[in-house]
Amino acid sequence: MFPLSRGTFPGALLKVRVFEPRYVEMIELCVRREIGFGVVLIERGSEVGGGDTRFDVGVSVSMTQVALLGNGHLIVIARGNSRIRVDEWLEDAPYPQARVRYLPDLPYDGSGSRLHQRLQHEFQRGLALFSEMGAETRNIDPLPADTLAAAYRAVDLLPVPDLDRQMILESGDPTRRIELAITALESVNELVEARLGSG
């Protein structure tokens, strides 16, 4: 398990610089065994040194690239797979470990047309606002056609707060996850609009 200060989503790309010896050991073990690992958001505490409090819902990831740097650090690029829930945290010896189960996704009910339009609207609105603030947004790819995947992607690209991201991930209903993503994007856009208006 790899607790991080920012969680991830199914389908998302995750890039992590690994420098703590215990996590270097964990990644090397995963490479040897050709397995992935789990990522959860840290609720309180720090990524470094342990002693953190973690959320129990996260994402399993598969590593797509591991690069060794000259100082012994690693750069790991991984892709999110499935949502997981930690049933039991084991001892952090030498690195965090847990017993987890995969969270089955309910079939999406297909009412995504209206939701997809709302999601696209808030995402494009967000890109326009951040472009107005000076951010580079021209090379961002369009959202996926699948509405749930699009929701994950939109929330991953715009600066949605970590707790809102976690709430989206934890919801057991895919439709509700999309609705929460739209609400989160609306909140971010409103904050940016207020900042632009006061500038």
Side-chain angles (χ1 to χ4, degrees):
M1 297 296 295
F2 208 145
L4 294 172
S5 58
R6 187 167 180 83
T8 192
F9 290 107
L13 277 179
L14 177 71
K15 184 176 181 180
V16 185
R17 186 185 184 100
V18 183
F19 56 89
E20 275 195 87
R22 60 182 180 148
Y23 287 117
V24 171
E25 180 180 348
M26 185 189 86
I27 295 300
E28 289 173 344
L29 175 66
C30 290
V31 169
R32 288 197 304 272
R33 294 186 178 178
E34 298 183 344
I35 59 174
F37 53 89
V39 171
V40 291
L41 176 67
I42 294 173
E43 185 175 3
R44 289 188 304 277
S46 168
E47 291 181 5
V48 181
D52 49 54
T53 303
R54 307 152 185 164
F55 286 99
D56 288 335
V57 174
V59 175
S60 67
V61 303
S62 299
M63 291 182 288
T64 60
Q65 186 176 347
V66 179
L68 177 63
L69 304 180
N71 54 9
H73 298 180
L74 302 174
I75 295 292
V76 176
I77 299 176
R79 183 175 293 278
N81 293 325
S82 302
R83 296 185 311 131
I84 56 174
R85 179 180 293 277
V86 173
D87 286 330
E88 181 185 5
W89 284 102
L90 307 176
E91 289 187 25
D92 284 14
Y95 38 76
Q97 301 176 72
R99 292 191 177 91
V100 305
R101 57 189 159 94
Y102 290 95
L103 293 175
D105 264 332
L106 299 172
Y108 183 56
D109 65 8
S111 62
S113 176
R114 177 183 59 84
L115 286 179
H116 199 93
Q117 289 174 4
R118 288 179 58 203
L119 181 71
Q120 285 278 10
H121 171 76
E122 290 303 327
F123 179 65
Q124 293 301 326
R125 177 183 166 209
L127 292 183
L129 288 168
F130 279 96
S131 177
E132 193 174 339
M133 292 184 69
E136 176 55 63
T137 61
R138 288 175 298 178
N139 296 324
I140 293 178
D141 292 332
L143 294 180
D146 178 272
T147 309
L148 182 57
Y152 289 151
R153 179 72 175 151
V155 170
D156 210 33
L157 285 170
L158 294 180
V160 171
D162 291 325
L163 291 181
D164 289 343
R165 289 163 55 95
Q166 185 66 25
M167 188 183 304
I168 293 165
L169 188 66
E170 289 187 1
S171 175
D173 179 1
T175 302
R176 180 61 178 154
R177 256 176 268 155
I178 295 165
E179 293 171 341
L180 288 169
I182 293 169
T183 299
L185 294 174
E186 288 172 341
S187 297
V188 169
N189 290 340
E190 287 167 5
L191 287 172
V192 176
E193 280 184 333
R195 187 178 300 175
L196 287 168
S198 64

